Amino acid sequence: MDLIQSFSVDHTAIVPGIFLSRADEVSGGTVTTYDIRLKRPNREPVIDVAAMHSLEHIIATFLRNEPGWKQDVVYWGPMGCLTGFYLILKGDRPPRAIYDLVLRAFRSVDEAQEVPGAAAVNCGHYLMHNLGMAKWYAAEFAAYLEKNADNPLIFEYPRTQRLVTETGQEFFDS
């Protein structure tokens, strides 16, 4: 069985950033999945679940209303490991091309007075939100992005090294 692409990323070396996870050809063009990583896996505490939920609501609302981008947004949602989000966009752009969009999205969290869609009729777990902590995580990540804008490590995945035997069997270092 083939190892899926996201498991070939060296999670011991990844830093927070904006990464191209995969690009898929679909009828009508390309759909690109980006890894918006807020925390270093297995090193930093993960994002608080209620804050993650609030970030999901606030940033999804921002992205789906952002002029020039809203028509290309397919999906915004949390990673199961709670270290970041996936953003799926129509088109094929390098991670640097969405830097400003992602930075604006995280900066917009500070302006939120409430979490959009945080009512029983709109949300499957409407009581599990934390706007204050969402603002804290968003500000932390936005400041990190600004400080590291010229650092190529925040745009390129570290890949695992593969040992391939003479018979073609692959081994992974993580």
Side-chain angles (χ1 to χ4, degrees):
M1 185 178 305
D2 291 334
L3 194 64
I4 64 171
Q5 191 169 353
S6 64
F7 294 156
S8 70
V9 174
D10 187 345
H11 284 73
T12 66
I14 195 169
V15 297
I18 303 167
F19 307 99
L20 190 147
S21 179
R22 61 184 291 157
D24 296 293
E25 294 302 317
V26 296
S27 61
T30 303
V31 174
T32 305
T33 303
Y34 299 92
D35 171 337
I36 311 301
R37 189 72 61 145
L38 281 68
K39 297 291 179 182
R40 291 183 76 159
N42 305 307
R43 288 188 162 178
E44 295 181 81
V46 298
I47 302 165
D48 170 77
V49 176
M52 189 87 164
H53 192 199
S54 296
L55 287 169
E56 176 191 11
H57 278 235
I58 296 165
I59 294 176
T61 301
F62 173 87
L63 292 170
R64 289 189 175 104
N65 285 282
E66 185 66 1
W69 289 95
K70 63 184 179 180
Q71 72 283 352
D72 289 341
V73 175
V74 175
Y75 175 78
W76 168 263
M79 293 178 177
C81 62
L82 302 175
T83 60
F85 293 86
Y86 287 113
L87 172 60
I88 303 175
L89 296 173
K90 294 176 191 171
D92 187 13
R93 302 167 186 88
R96 286 182 189 271
I98 67 164
Y99 171 87
D100 289 332
L101 173 68
V102 172
L103 182 59
R104 284 195 320 275
F106 278 87
R107 283 283 178 222
S108 78
V109 175
D110 190 52
E111 300 165 15
Q113 299 300 309
E114 60 185 26
V115 177
V121 69
N122 306 114
C123 179
H125 199 349
Y126 77 100
L127 295 175
M128 188 184 69
H129 285 282
N130 187 331
L131 179 58
M133 283 305 298
K135 288 183 178 200
W136 185 86
Y137 285 113
E140 177 188 53
F141 186 59
Y144 173 87
L145 286 178
E146 288 174 333
K147 180 180 177 185
N148 288 281
D150 295 325
N151 182 350
L153 294 178
I154 74 164
F155 297 108
E156 294 182 28
Y157 268 148
R159 297 288 179 184
T160 57
Q161 298 297 313
R162 297 180 184 182
L163 171 64
V164 181
T165 67
E166 290 177 11
T167 60
Q169 187 175 11
E170 292 183 271
F171 294 90
F172 295 86
D173 68 353
S174 61

